[in-house]
Amino acid sequence: MNNSFVMKCLTVNEKGNLSMGGCDIADVAAKYGTPAYIMDEDEIRENCRVYTGAMREYYDGKGLVLYASKALSCKYMYRIMREEGMGVDVVSGGELYTAIKAGFPAERIYFHGNNKTGDEIEMALREGVGTIVVDNIFELETLSRFAGDMGKTADVMFRIKPGIDAHTHSFVQTGQIDSKFGVALETGEAEDIVVKAAAMPNINVVGVHCHIGSQIFELAPFELAAEKMMNFIADMKDRHGIVMDRLNLGGGYGIKYTESDTPIDYDKYICAVAKVVRGISESRGVKLPYIVMEPGRSIVAEAGLTVYTVGTVKEIPGIRTYISVDGGMGDNPRYILYQSEYEAARVHDPNAEKTMVATIAGKCCESGDILIDGARLPEIKAGDLIAVLATGAYNYSMASNYNRIPRPPIVMVSGGEAKLAVKRESYDDLILNDL
Ligand SMILES: *Cc1c(COP(=O)(O)O)cnc(C)c1O
């Protein structure tokens, strides 16, 4: 059956219920409670393979795909990434700690962040993190000092602002972009930091990095970024004799949250960008760099949903109907943060006629605690299960305990089996650090 959902891993089973990874969503909800994040493990692995396969095809395997783990960070995810031959990027000591505790090989970890603390830098060096993506001159100096004290040499890349600002359906080429991340190309800031670093004894300059935005649906901004970065690599070689043989092109590939989202095949991005990289490598006479990519959202978003139980259905005549569920902004803060759009489905008989237009609200004490404004659904009554779709990225990882609501579990489904990746927080977990 060709499904009508934004998540391609979702089907309807013989009982008429939503089903994923061979598991009935209603059964999973009954076993683990609601709300719960449910993730299709095979879909996550498949998404990794699209990238690793394209890397083999377009760059002869001379590169590494990193999972940008801020999209969903837990030990189970790092274990999947290790098994899939991926690298990961982390942006904090906490993400690094989780990766290490999950047994992820440190040499395949890239450490990002615009304000790494001294403790985080020391931790990264101690744990043997493969590459540190340096954001600014202060960080470079701190890193150099720590590496010197510890008798280590750090492999570094620099976060460059290529002057391209990409959003969902458009991008702009700006001069010096207003961003807290990285060093600018136009002003010479990027050149300065590379030259300074190349002279530091405990720093090994390996390459440059850029990340131009998120949920991007166009090829052109990626091609343009690759062009600017390759020219910068060539300029550094021509002007200073500094050879950088690694290029990290970041993430940001768009996903389908609603029917109106039209992502391009990830394979196509990689193919198009590879053409640009190869072309400049030839025309400017620089060796083809080792390519690094960092997809986050596109690895996990469409592999996950959140299942909720409906508590009340409140119809305000002539105004709107509120469907209140047993979760909300605590488990999915993306609506209250950026009015992100999602689609929902009733778990039982989801393809029944959609007779209702309603606002799905959470249980927090905020009027803005909304999951979907104007959801189109079949008739919904108290006690029904509903699923909000494509919540695999930036939901659990952005969750909070607002109103002291425990965070939901993450249940992984595959081959008809459901197992916990993260258990539900308990009330005791909530007071663990209270003195
Ligand atoms: C967030 C982030 C990514 C991943 O972005 P997605 O939109 O989730 O693909 C990659 N690289 C860096 C540096 C990031 O900050």
Side-chain angles (χ1 to χ4, degrees):
M1 182 180 117
N2 210 351
N3 87 48
S4 55
F5 308 109
V6 288
M7 292 166 67
K8 64 180 187 295
C9 56
L10 214 49
T11 55
V12 179
N13 67 13
E14 65 288 347
K15 285 192 203 157
N17 289 341
L18 281 180
S19 168
M20 201 167 78
C23 294
D24 186 314
I25 298 299
D27 290 346
V28 177
K31 179 159 182 202
Y32 296 100
T34 60
Y37 302 108
I38 306 178
M39 309 275 313
D40 185 321
E41 181 168 340
D42 298 339
E43 175 78 10
I44 297 170
R45 290 179 184 275
E46 190 49 46
N47 291 337
C48 294
R49 287 170 201 174
V50 168
Y51 285 103
T52 51
M55 193 62 105
R56 273 195 300 278
E57 182 162 356
Y58 304 116
Y59 293 105
D60 308 318
K62 297 194 180 73
L64 182 64
V65 185
L66 310 180
Y67 164 58
S69 68
K70 70 176 193 275
L72 175 60
S73 175
C74 61
K75 286 165 75 178
Y76 200 100
M77 283 299 298
Y78 294 104
R79 290 196 290 262
I80 293 179
M81 295 305 141
R82 185 188 60 208
E83 287 166 15
E84 292 299 325
M86 304 273 286
V88 299
D89 84 41
V90 299
V91 296
S92 70
E95 287 177 1
L96 175 57
Y97 184 82
T98 311
I100 297 288
K101 285 288 175 184
F104 197 87
E107 66 276 9
R108 275 196 275 142
I109 299 177
Y110 282 59
F111 195 2
H112 281 288
N114 68 303
N115 190 20
K116 302 175 190 75
T117 64
D119 285 350
E120 287 173 327
I121 289 172
E122 196 266 335
M123 178 181 180
L125 289 168
R126 179 166 30 87
E127 295 292 348
V129 163
T131 310
I132 298 182
V133 183
V134 170
D135 182 271
N136 59 70
I137 190 73
F138 305 100
E139 181 186 335
L140 177 66
E141 283 161 0
T142 309
L143 176 61
S144 165
R145 200 169 57 245
F146 273 102
D149 291 349
M150 295 166 80
K152 301 206 174 203
T153 302
D155 282 352
V156 306
M157 285 192 152
F158 297 96
R159 172 141 191 181
I160 308 285
K161 301 184 216 194
I164 299 163
D165 204 358
H167 301 285
T168 301
H169 284 295
S170 67
F171 71 100
V172 285
Q173 214 179 334
T174 56
Q176 154 71 47
I177 56 169
D178 177 4
S179 164
K180 70 171 183 171
F181 296 107
V183 287
L185 275 185
E186 278 79 6
T187 57
E189 194 186 4
E191 180 166 358
D192 274 358
I193 199 169
V194 169
V195 170
K196 281 207 178 87
M200 291 175 160
N202 298 87
I203 298 290
N204 180 31
V205 176
V206 299
V208 280
H209 163 268
C210 68
H211 173 70
I212 55 173
S214 208
Q215 186 65 350
I216 302 169
F217 289 142
E218 293 164 300
L219 286 177
F222 288 105
E223 292 172 321
L224 189 56
E227 181 187 324
K228 290 194 172 206
M229 298 297 279
M230 281 299 291
N231 279 318
F232 181 67
I233 288 175
D235 289 346
M236 291 304 97
K237 176 169 168 267
D238 293 350
R239 287 191 213 143
H240 305 287
I242 297 170
V243 175
M244 295 188 282
D245 54 17
R246 230 188 286 173
L247 172 58
N248 183 338
L249 292 163
Y253 312 98
I255 74 108
K256 197 174 181 70
Y257 283 110
T258 68
E259 277 311 319
S260 62
D261 291 332
T262 52
I264 309 177
D265 288 345
Y266 305 128
D267 188 82
K268 288 215 177 79
Y269 285 109
I270 300 161
C271 178
V273 168
K275 276 202 190 100
V276 172
V277 171
R278 285 179 182 281
I280 298 174
S281 158
E282 271 168 38
S283 66
R284 300 272 324 247
V286 290
K287 202 177 129 222
L288 191 69
Y290 182 88
I291 299 291
V292 181
M293 275 182 297
E294 304 175 322
R297 188 189 310 274
S298 54
I299 300 286
V300 284
E302 288 179 45
L305 59 76
T306 312
V307 62
Y308 301 94
T309 303
V310 173
T312 61
V313 180
K314 192 178 287 182
E315 193 184 337
I316 309 175
I319 312 262
R320 73 168 79 218
T321 299
Y322 283 100
I323 296 172
S324 291
V325 297
D326 54 354
M329 62 181 278
D331 58 78
N332 182 356
R334 292 190 70 253
Y335 181 87
I336 203 163
L337 274 177
Y338 358 79
Q339 286 72 57
S340 300
E341 293 187 351
Y342 285 95
E343 288 186 2
R346 193 173 69 184
V347 170
H348 182 65
D349 196 9
N351 292 324
E353 196 191 342
K354 297 192 168 67
T355 51
M356 221 176 160
V357 177
T359 295
I360 303 179
K363 60 187 266 109
C364 290
C365 294
E366 290 286 331
S367 298
D369 171 26
I370 282 169
L371 293 169
I372 304 178
D373 186 17
R376 293 179 49 77
L377 288 161
E379 202 55 35
I380 298 288
K381 56 184 189 328
D384 283 350
L385 294 172
I386 59 177
V388 175
L389 309 184
T391 58
Y394 304 110
N395 272 232
Y396 174 77
S397 66
M398 288 184 144
S400 77
N401 289 126
Y402 181 50
N403 288 158
R404 289 244 143 165
I405 295 169
R407 272 176 279 236
I410 301 177
V411 183
M412 289 279 172
V413 293
S414 170
E417 271 184 62
K419 61 181 167 204
L420 276 178
V422 176
K423 59 182 182 179
R424 185 183 304 281
E425 279 179 331
S426 65
Y427 289 141
D428 279 333
D429 291 333
L430 295 177
I431 58 165
L432 196 62
N433 295 311
D434 290 10
L435 303 176

